[in-house]
Amino acid sequence: IAFVGLVAPHTARALFGDALHLPLLRTASFLGGLLLLAADILARLLIAPAEIPVGILTALLGGGYLLKLMQQRRTL
């Protein structure tokens, strides 16, 4: 579930720009929880009645997001 720590702060920064740190911290915390909740629900529904580990879904999402960030960084 470590990729939540990558996705949530960068998404909060994309939403608020260079705002103060407190709104960014609150937003990143909220988005992290929301991301884990969505991944858990999706993991339970994709191949019901079996469950996919949540870490696999967050790794796929976070890995894709990391590749996107690296691609954007290279083009700047």
Side-chain angles (χ1 to χ4, degrees), residues 8-54:
H10 285 288
T11 305
R13 175 87 48 192
L15 290 174
F16 284 102
D18 290 330
L20 296 174
H21 291 294
L22 189 59
L24 288 175
L25 182 64
R26 288 178 182 161
T27 305
S29 300
F30 176 75
L31 288 175
L34 191 65
L35 174 66
L36 277 179
L37 179 65
D40 184 51
I41 291 171
L42 193 61
R44 291 173 189 257
L45 294 177
L46 277 178
I47 56 171
E51 293 182 17
I52 300 172
V54 174

Side-chain angles (χ1 to χ4, degrees), residues 12 14 22 38-40 43 57 59 67-68 71 74:
L22 189 59
D40 184 51
L57 289 179
L67 291 174
K68 179 184 169 200
Q71 182 66 27
R74 187 168 26 160

